[in-house]
Amino acid sequence: MDRPTLAIVGLGKIARDQHVPAIAATGLFRLAAVVSPDGATLEGTAHGDVPTFRSQAEMLAACPGLDAVALCTPPAVRHGLAVEALRAGKHVLIEKPPAATLTELRVLIDEAETAGRTLFAAWHSRFNAAVEETRRRLAGAAVRHVAITWKEDVRRWHPGQDWIFAAGGFGVFDPGINALSILTDILPGPVVVRAAELLVPANRDTPIAATLTMEGAAGSAVGTVTAAFDFLQQGEQTWSIAIETDGGRLDLTHGGTRLRVDGKPVLAEPDSEYQRIYRHFHHLIADASTDVDGRPLQLVADAFLVGRWRTTDAFHW
Ligand code: NAP
């Protein structure tokens, strides 16, 4: 396969922080265009000559030979863009979460199949060596308890991103779904949500904090799972998963980039998630295959279904 051409749609934080450098570092795709409604460009970067278009439709019309798009917009607008790109015959990489609803995701999978194009729903946290190693160690283990703690300061990590607190923006589940993407990847069996408590600021639509109680589905080798998500964490920021098994304890910390087993460091890797993502996307296209796992999104939807909703203090940036 020649080096496919790729456009980034949505030139915000994650596109600039991760996608652009990973595309340059891997060299597997040629960045041919970017789409930004406010006309933002890549000027000042190694891709300064890449043209900007105001909409994906405009970009698709101007670049008929384009092979693929990476959708880095907020989730609420992503579905229409993904369908448009697939119908135009493009391979599609979607940032997490892959859709705003479960039905949207089902429709997207069908669209990709009809178009005969690759659809890759990238759960970036899974692309860490420590997560892979944890999965390997848990295969065949009896997991007694998992405790997820995903607590960060929204003002520091998502400054001014009002879409997160608007309906369809996932609130604290925007980072929290990363923990659920790791959970569903490493456990040797499925879990179900039994209860949840969701705290929504009086002036917003989506939760700013949540706790979830899950357990292994009947007959699985998984015991109980708790998750605590918080968007108002001060001081130390925590993205960790503690796993107690019949054979010892594993601690995945720093968003899944480090692993300790019974207190001893086993793996600590510099951040290379996005380079692995682009290698995988390239491989999927060459292989004419698709990679979409809806389980993390299902757990969020289940928490929203069974959860108790509470109103809390208004949130201002
Ligand atoms: P962001 O900084 O708000 O960037 C989103 C970008 O999408 C903005 O530049 C926005 O442009 C653009 N956009 C909105 N509607 C568009 C449309 N119809 N066509 C083209 N572009 C459009 O958000 P982000 O933090 O990068 O997050 C984007 C996605 O990546 C989210 O799903 C998030 O969960 C995921 N993600 C984020 C991080 C992170 O650390 N931030 C990490 C991993 C994954 P305007 O500003 O002009 O509207």
Side-chain angles (χ1 to χ4, degrees), residues 10 12-14 37-38 72 74 78 95-96 124 161 163 174 274:
K13 185 173 189 312
I14 198 60
D38 65 3
C72 303
R78 215 176 279 147
E95 256 299 347
K96 47 66 54 169
H124 65 86
Q161 290 183 351
W163 60 264
D174 177 75
Y274 279 82

Side-chain angles (χ1 to χ4, degrees), residues 9-15 17 35-38 54-56 71-75 77-78 81 95-97 124 157-158 161 163 174 178 274:
V9 180
L11 196 54
K13 185 173 189 312
I14 198 60
D17 288 0
V35 177
S36 166
D38 65 3
R54 296 270 177 174
S55 74
Q56 180 179 260
L71 300 183
C72 303
T73 69
V77 295
R78 215 176 279 147
L81 294 168
E95 256 299 347
K96 47 66 54 169
H124 65 86
W157 301 103
H158 306 274
Q161 290 183 351
W163 60 264
D174 177 75
N178 295 333
Y274 279 82

